């Protein structure tokens, strides 16, 4: 069962929770379920207010590498992802370190979410 560790200066301490694979919940959904307050405005991947840093931990390679079209546009527009960096990551089939919490669907991988 994958774990998600939420880490932020806004929190008194880090919180690690289990996220059952197959639930198809977003980082934002799991955060809300456990009382973790990640900033968000639209919840549709359009505003970028829920941008988080995702760090993969454990022995498995990252699984959630593909960005939604909304996520690509929002991260590129906000400057969290440079066009050249995006093209290189896409070519190598790698995930960027910044993602939108409302768009990132959890898979069977252990991650740390910094915000």
């Amino acid at each position: 069962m994958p774990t998600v560790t939420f880490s932020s200066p806004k929190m008194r301490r880090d919180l690690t929770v289990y996220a059952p694979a197959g639930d198809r919940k977003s980082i934002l959904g799991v955060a809300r379920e456990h009382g973790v307050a990640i900033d968000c405005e639209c919840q549709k991947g359009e505003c970028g207010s829920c941008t988080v840093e995702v760090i993969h931990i454990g022995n498995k390679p990252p699984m959630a590498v593909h960005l939604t079209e909304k996520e690509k546009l929002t991260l590129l527009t906000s400057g969290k992802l440079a066009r050249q960096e995006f093209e290189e990551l896409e070519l190598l089939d790698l995930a960027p370190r910044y993602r939108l919490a409302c768009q990132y669907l959890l898979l069977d991988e252990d991650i740390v979410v910094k915000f």
Side-chain angles (χ1 to χ4, degrees), residues 18-37:
Y18 291 106
D23 271 2
R24 303 294 293 166
K25 289 186 179 164
S26 66
I27 289 174
L28 185 60
V30 172
R32 286 185 165 176
E33 205 173 80
H34 294 280
V36 177

Side-chain angles (χ1 to χ4, degrees), residues 1-88:
M1 187 176 299
T3 61
V4 179
T5 300
F6 294 99
S7 179
S8 172
K10 299 176 185 179
M11 299 169 58
R12 285 185 293 179
R13 60 187 168 131
D14 293 353
L15 174 67
T16 300
V17 300
Y18 291 106
D23 271 2
R24 303 294 293 166
K25 289 186 179 164
S26 66
I27 289 174
L28 185 60
V30 172
R32 286 185 165 176
E33 205 173 80
H34 294 280
V36 177
I38 294 177
D39 292 337
C40 64
E41 291 177 23
C42 73
Q43 300 176 43
K44 298 176 188 173
E46 296 170 356
C47 71
S49 65
C50 66
T51 301
V52 295
E53 182 179 3
V54 176
I55 301 166
H56 298 273
I57 56 176
N59 299 330
K60 294 181 182 179
M63 297 174 71
V65 297
H66 301 287
L67 302 172
T68 65
E69 290 304 315
K70 286 183 180 182
E71 197 172 14
K72 288 177 192 175
L73 179 63
T74 302
L75 290 172
L76 288 168
T77 303
S78 71
K80 287 290 185 183
L81 186 60
R83 172 131 335 253
Q84 182 178 353
E85 179 186 9
F86 165 71
E87 290 171 358
E88 289 172 7

